[in-house]
Amino acid sequence: MTLIPEPARVRLLHLMRIMERFAQPLSSSRIEELTGCPSHTIRKDVSYLNGEGDGETGGMHGHFGGNCGYEPRLLVPAIRSALGLDKERKFCVVGLGRLGSAFLNEEISGSLEPSLGGEFELAAGFDKNVNRVEILKSAVPLYPAYKIGEVVSRFGIEIAILCVPAAEAQASAEKLVAAGIRGILNFAPVPLRLPPEIVVRNVFVLDELRELAIHICPSSPRA
Amino acid sequence: MTLIPEPARVRLLHLMRIMERFAQPLSSSRIEELTGCPSHTIRKDVSYLNGEGDGETGGMHGHFGGNCGYEPRLLVPAIRSALGLDKERKFCVVGLGRLGSAFLNEEISGSLEPSLGGEFELAAGFDKNVNRVEILKSAVPLYPAYKIGEVVSRFGIEIAILCVPAAEAQASAEKLVAAGIRGILNFAPVPLRLPPEIVVRNVFVLDELRELAIHICPSSPRA
DNA sequence: TTTTGTGAAGCGCTTCACAGCT
DNA sequence: AGCTGTGAAGCGCTTCACAAAA
């Protein structure tokens, strides 16, 4: 089923992000400069798209000859389709403290890709604190937390960004799962215990710092 | 130099996080239940710690016999040391909007591991907006952005969490690098162009959503 | 000649299966 | 009996090197 290796899928995701910013064709060696990823890996990754013919894209993706390469206009949609990202998905933000509310007003999500329509739609925000829900101004509809079940299932929200305090994370996640959520991006600093069919990605800042520290270490063995 | 494979290092990081919450010994099969990672992989990963003898830990890490396994008390420090996390490192937050300020008041970082001292120290916060610097209350010293160079190099800050708007990210990152920063955790939604010796980890919310979507997809091929 | 596309080789991680300890 | 520790087999991703196209 999964014919494209996972590492390749992740690289294609990055490649897509890069190419979205360009209009002119990019050669694999130019992409190597931009991403740090070797050009032969780029070419191999793109070649995986050919074997995948969903019946739609059977041919090549690059242009040959003197001044050519991969055309963003063609390759980006091909990647998006191969990765199953061609269907718009609704998501919500749960917990509207400093972190959660940052996602409401395009501080992060909105400015991610200005010209990127129809991929993800922020459909709702939730918070336990009714006051906060009423005070916050946002183009996104906000609801008190007890309405999670109703709103998530009614609108068919598939993904949640979880930004509640650690103590509430597990309970909030379970409420989301009961409402039919399929994936959770967890910013709360605790691992969630959920059924295996629920896809969870954790953003643990401490672990990120540790991972940075691991990679910093080698250059100064022991100062 | 890097004798422990990268995937194993990441798993050891997660293992460490799990074990920090326990006092009693955990068997590899129990850990499998907790992490989802197969028990033989756990054992193999732990065994990498033996080959690494920095002169400190030469022996075994697990207890044999009836009711035994890996003792957190012993294994956690061993992992920390093998991964080079035994030296306290200072970090700072750059950009104190909703997102950045969330890291100041333990909303995230502080509550990550309550009992975890001496690993990372939040040494400073910076913002371009002098007003913000003066108004925000925090146990962490806050400075206007123009002091980044001075403060980072004076205190020997090695890591920065970058939370500025997209338009300012590249310039801020370059300022940090000039001041001697070694790693950046980038929450700004743009890739940074920096010298290769600088370690960067990006937290792109859009990419996280996409990765969730990729893994959600298979169960409903095309609804 | 430059650049893509790809089978095949190479290599590193994962998995296996069993020895060793209690 | 039960669990850890680990060499060796297995396997999948990366890399290579060359054919094909413009």
Side-chain angles (χ1 to χ4, degrees):
Chain A
M1 203 56 144
T2 302
L3 291 110
I4 304 181
E6 162 117 9
R9 290 206 309 262
V10 174
R11 284 193 302 268
L12 285 168
L13 218 54
H14 286 83
L15 177 59
M16 192 167 81
R17 161 174 290 273
I18 298 285
M19 297 204 83
E20 277 167 348
R21 310 194 158 253
F22 290 86
Q24 293 178 356
L26 300 171
S27 70
S28 56
S29 45
R30 178 103 182 76
I31 294 171
E32 171 168 348
E33 292 168 17
L34 293 171
T35 63
C37 190
S39 62
H40 49 77
T41 301
I42 303 285
R43 292 201 301 278
K44 185 64 164 178
D45 290 345
V46 173
S47 85
Y48 284 127
L49 301 179
N50 293 337
E52 295 291 295
D54 262 352
E56 310 187 33
T57 61
M60 312 281 189
H61 292 96
H63 292 191
F64 300 104
N67 57 349
C68 286
Y70 298 100
E71 246 188 271
R73 194 95 185 186
L74 297 173
L75 190 52
V76 169
I79 295 177
R80 196 176 290 179
S81 142
L83 264 45
L85 296 171
D86 42 4
K87 172 191 157 205
E88 179 172 281
R89 292 173 192 272
K90 293 181 181 171
F91 71 102
C92 65
V93 177
V94 180
L96 302 176
R98 270 193 264 262
L99 181 61
S101 61
F103 298 128
L104 294 182
N105 310 16
E106 62 193 334
E107 225 185 80
I108 291 282
S109 51
S111 63
L112 272 170
E113 290 300 334
S115 64
L116 190 74
E119 189 167 355
F120 294 100
E121 182 198 338
L122 177 47
F126 300 97
D127 198 288
K128 207 177 185 176
N129 184 334
V130 180
N131 245 336
R132 221 182 240 167
V133 169
E134 288 171 354
I135 289 173
L136 273 173
K137 284 192 292 186
S138 165
V140 180
L142 305 182
Y143 307 89
Y146 67 82
K147 287 196 177 170
I148 285 179
E150 175 196 336
V151 174
V152 166
S153 58
R154 172 148 50 95
F155 292 145
I157 296 174
E158 291 183 291
I159 296 174
I161 304 185
L162 191 60
C163 304
V164 302
E168 299 168 28
Q170 179 66 33
S172 299
E174 286 171 8
K175 231 193 277 188
L176 288 162
V177 170
I181 212 81
R182 313 221 6 229
I184 295 179
L185 180 54
N186 178 34
F187 278 87
V190 289
L192 304 173
R193 312 261 301 138
L194 299 174
E197 69 269 20
I198 307 297
V199 185
V200 177
R201 283 184 70 83
N202 296 306
V203 179
F204 294 150
V205 174
L206 177 57
D207 279 3
E208 298 290 334
L209 292 179
R210 283 170 167 170
E211 214 124 4
L212 280 176
I214 287 176
H215 292 94
I216 284 174
C217 185
S219 25
S220 85
R222 236 149 265 259
Chain B
M1 206 55 148
T2 302
L3 291 109
I4 304 181
E6 162 119 7
R9 290 206 308 263
V10 174
R11 284 192 302 267
L12 284 168
L13 218 55
H14 286 83
L15 177 58
M16 192 167 80
R17 161 174 290 274
I18 298 285
M19 297 204 84
E20 277 167 349
R21 308 192 160 255
F22 290 86
Q24 292 177 356
L26 299 171
S27 70
S28 58
S29 46
R30 178 101 181 77
I31 294 171
E32 172 168 348
E33 292 168 16
L34 292 171
T35 63
C37 191
S39 62
H40 49 76
T41 301
I42 304 286
R43 291 201 302 275
K44 185 64 164 177
D45 289 346
V46 173
S47 85
Y48 285 127
L49 301 179
N50 295 335
E52 295 291 296
D54 262 351
E56 310 187 35
T57 62
M60 311 280 189
H61 292 95
H63 292 194
F64 299 105
N67 57 348
C68 285
Y70 298 100
E71 245 189 89
R73 195 95 184 186
L74 297 172
L75 190 52
V76 169
I79 296 177
R80 198 178 288 177
S81 144
L83 264 43
L85 296 172
D86 43 3
K87 172 192 155 202
E88 180 172 280
R89 294 172 190 272
K90 293 181 182 171
F91 72 102
C92 64
V93 178
V94 180
L96 303 176
R98 270 192 264 262
L99 181 61
S101 60
F103 298 128
L104 294 183
N105 310 14
E106 62 193 333
E107 227 184 79
I108 292 281
S109 51
S111 63
L112 273 170
E113 291 299 336
S115 64
L116 191 73
E119 189 167 354
F120 294 100
E121 182 198 337
L122 178 46
F126 300 97
D127 199 289
K128 207 177 185 177
N129 184 335
V130 180
N131 245 336
R132 222 181 240 167
V133 169
E134 288 171 354
I135 289 173
L136 273 174
K137 282 192 293 186
S138 164
V140 179
L142 305 183
Y143 306 90
Y146 67 82
K147 287 197 177 169
I148 285 179
E150 175 195 336
V151 174
V152 167
S153 57
R154 172 148 49 95
F155 292 146
I157 296 175
E158 292 183 291
I159 297 175
I161 303 185
L162 190 61
C163 303
V164 301
E168 299 168 27
Q170 180 65 32
S172 299
E174 286 170 8
K175 232 192 280 187
L176 286 163
V177 170
I181 213 83
R182 315 222 4 229
I184 295 179
L185 180 53
N186 177 34
F187 279 87
V190 288
L192 304 173
R193 312 260 299 136
L194 299 175
E197 69 269 20
I198 307 297
V199 185
V200 178
R201 283 185 70 85
N202 296 307
V203 179
F204 293 150
V205 174
L206 176 57
D207 278 3
E208 298 290 334
L209 293 178
R210 284 170 167 168
E211 212 125 3
L212 279 177
I214 287 177
H215 292 95
I216 284 173
C217 186
S219 26
S220 88
R222 237 149 264 260

